[in-house]
Amino acid sequence: MHTVQFYGDDNVLFHELKRYLGSALTNGSSAVVIATQGHLNNLAHTLNRSGFPLARATDEGRYIALEASEVISKFMVGGSPEPTLFSEVIGELIDCAAKASHSKNQPVVAFGEMVALLWAEGRTEAAIEVERLWNELAKKHSFALHCAYPIQGFGSEQLEESLLKICAEHTGSMRDGVLHEFASDVGPSADRLKQEVRVLADINWHQREEPFKLFITNVQDYAIFMLDLDGRIVTWNPGAERIKGYTSAEIIGQHFSQFYPEEVRATRPQQLLERAAREGHVEDEGWRVRKDGSQFWARVTITAVKDASGKIVGFGKVTRDLTEQKRTESALRRSEERSRLFVEAVQDYAIFMLDPEGRISSWNTGAERIKGYAASEIIGQHFSRFYPEEDIRAGKPRWELEVAIQEGRFEDEGWRVRKDGSRFWANVMITPVRDHSGTLIGFSKVTRDFTERMLAEEALKDSQRKLRNSEKSLRELSLHLLRTQDEERRRIGREIHDSLGQYLSVLKMKLDSMRPGTAAEIAECSNIAQECVKEVRTISYLLYPPMLEELGLKSAVPWYLDGFTKRSGINTTFEIAEDFGRLNRDAELVLFRVLQESLTNIQRHSGSSTAEIRLYCAENVVTLQVTDHGKGVPAEILEQGTQDWMGSLGVGLRGMSERLQQLGGALEISLPGGGGTDVRATLPLQSARSTTSAAD
């Protein structure tokens, strides 16, 4: 059996081949396919998607697929098929497929597009000869052959004759899986064959025209309609009704000029038709008028429609409503214009554009004011000319563009050069500019002159440096004064102890040795002298306790607390670790002075009856903690800040704070939750033991 299929759409072809080849492969028979490469690929996809065992059949040799042009080249001689070669080449394929078949009762099925390929190349006689050779081969081999022709390959004038020649070589045509047998091409049967040809031609026409009609009918975004030679409307689609507002009953037969505004209606429509007739088609954009009188911005294409002889029979017109796009473009242009005017008006910023290589492409007034160049002088130049020579040699301009591309922006401050050679301190921002596809089209560069700010900052830094130096000098002077004060106290204490104390002691001894007759008066004077000796010794020790220098804080603090309790009536406790060692002279003295000042403040201001003192080392820090449970320091004083509240507590503690800072320590005063005041003096343990001890 030798069947033929005429198709206008590939989907129709693949639908028929799926049935034809798929059933053979499923039944265990073999198939030979000789087709174009595109059809081979699509056919394999169709069969696989439909679940046919294509891979297994290929491995078993039951599915043989070959490219048509390669097979044709094997049997063509001088532009014509050579019968012997054709029989050998194609016969071998049929035999191989037959041997691989699992079903000996089923013939091999074959599908060929060689004749269609030859026909499309204009080699009609060779195509008819190949059809005849297929029929000759069927006398020697058992197979069923199905051929396919795209109906577009048959022109209107040759359609009937061409189809008759092809049909004469086939048993019948396949349509929707049904065989329509061909009759003889002579006598009464020839009329039936011609009728079959006309049916095929009608099928071809509907296959080509019906989808197009459906497409036109369903298009909503375009007005698509036909005009006659005079410009009157002869067809109308739903898109035209939606865009222009007219129904087909209202508009068909009317002249298309009524879609144009009054001011151009008399001339513009006719000009467009004349251009379309002359040039084949014409495009136009402009305002058009709807049925309700409103206007919309339209893009219009008018194409001359010609018949087979080339004569113009009318015009096709496609209109699209671009009003929203027009508004968007207008808004964008207005925005760009405002931005341009804004950029040009800015005086304090140099704002300009660079191309991807760094050449200047725009220039604003601020750039001219800051850098000194007019637009005509600088546009087209490379932006590196604004950089000092050392930056240019280091490749800084190019590096800045590379960073901007990689990170999305670049910001920097540094020296830049004006036209006159003077330098200014600039804040620079470079941003890459890309189009909608992400392609780099240049850079925007914003520069601001920060010279005055930089100079002001430098002046401020210089003032701050001088202030820090002054503070350092004052702290050193304060430390010197405190040390001098301690030394003076030490000297005075020793002099009081060594001189005045000795005199008083001698006085007491003399009184004790006087005659007994005046015993009562002498005893009273002796007691007064004894008290003077004690007071002098106490004052001497308070000015500079010799026990601190000789034995350190571990012995000096309990001695001092014992005397403080007797003098003030405030009970004290002292907590210190057994292994607490000696500190250097400065550290022991400053901690002892903090203890003295803290206890003096408790006695004078707190009203507390107790005081707790702790001296300990933890985390490489020496801490002296003095806690009372009295009225406490007013919170508003602590909130004033370190210098203010320290001054409010008196010169003594402030001096101790300064001295602690000189030694790397600090003085902290806080308010415990239960009331009272907590004073903490801290020193780094390493510095507190770094120099020679007081014993030295």
Side-chain angles (χ1 to χ4, degrees), residues 30-252:
S30 298
V32 176
V33 178
I34 306 174
T36 63
Q37 190 61 55
H39 280 176
L40 288 174
N41 295 338
N42 288 333
L43 179 58
H45 176 72
T46 299
L47 292 172
N48 282 322
R49 188 176 59 185
S50 300
F52 292 109
L54 189 62
R56 187 173 75 243
T58 302
D59 293 339
E60 295 173 350
R62 293 192 299 112
Y63 183 78
I64 301 173
L66 300 171
E67 206 278 323
S69 60
E70 293 182 3
V71 177
I72 290 174
S73 65
K74 294 180 180 181
F75 59 74
M76 294 294 286
V77 177
S80 299
E82 206 286 318
T84 302
L85 290 176
F86 181 89
S87 179
E88 291 176 356
V89 171
I90 306 302
E92 183 179 355
L93 293 175
I94 299 298
D95 287 342
C96 289
K99 290 177 182 179
S101 177
H102 295 168
S103 176
K104 303 305 179 182
N105 297 326
Q106 296 290 334
V108 173
V109 296
F111 167 67
E113 281 191 310
M114 295 184 293
V115 286
L117 197 60
L118 292 169
W119 194 279
E121 293 173 356
R123 298 152 70 179
T124 56
E125 293 300 325
I128 297 297
E129 179 62 16
V130 170
E131 292 282 21
R132 191 187 64 79
L133 292 175
W134 272 112
N135 289 333
E136 289 296 323
L137 188 65
K139 297 176 182 179
K140 303 176 183 178
H141 301 271
S142 176
F143 64 90
L145 175 64
H146 183 68
C147 299
Y149 289 83
I151 199 69
Q152 299 93 314
F154 301 93
S156 57
E157 294 181 357
Q158 66 177 33
L159 181 61
E160 186 172 310
E161 180 183 355
S162 300
L163 287 174
L164 281 172
K165 289 182 179 180
I166 292 171
C167 292
E169 300 296 334
H170 293 81
T171 309
S173 68
M174 297 296 296
R175 295 199 303 275
D176 299 324
V178 178
L179 175 64
H180 298 266
E181 293 187 2
F182 295 140
S184 171
D185 60 346
V186 296
S189 296
D191 294 333
R192 290 169 56 197
L193 182 56
K194 291 180 180 180
Q195 179 63 32
E196 181 70 22
V197 168
R198 282 192 287 273
V199 170
L200 290 172
D202 288 340
I203 292 173
N204 172 52
W205 172 258
H206 287 295
Q207 284 179 338
R208 288 188 294 176
E209 291 298 315
E210 191 60 28
F212 181 72
K213 288 180 180 179
L214 292 172
F215 166 72
I216 295 297
T217 300
N218 286 285
V219 169
Q220 296 289 323
D221 296 332
Y222 292 83
I224 305 175
F225 52 97
M226 292 290 296
L227 306 175
D228 64 15
L229 290 173
D230 297 323
R232 288 185 296 271
I233 299 161
V234 295
T235 67
W236 196 247
N237 81 321
E241 182 173 340
R242 187 186 68 82
I243 292 173
K244 297 179 181 286
Y246 295 92
T247 65
S248 58
E250 293 173 318
I251 200 64
I252 288 179

Side-chain angles (χ1 to χ4, degrees), residues 37 49 55 62 92 94 132 178 203 276 319 335 374 385 414 424 429 457-458 462 490 508 536 542 580:
Q37 190 61 55
R49 188 176 59 185
R62 293 192 299 112
E92 183 179 355
I94 299 298
R132 191 187 64 79
V178 178
I203 292 173
T319 301
S335 176
R385 67 164 47 201
F424 67 98
M429 178 77 73
E457 289 177 351
E458 288 296 321
D462 186 58
R490 183 182 183 189
K508 182 179 182 301
V536 167
L542 289 176
F580 189 90

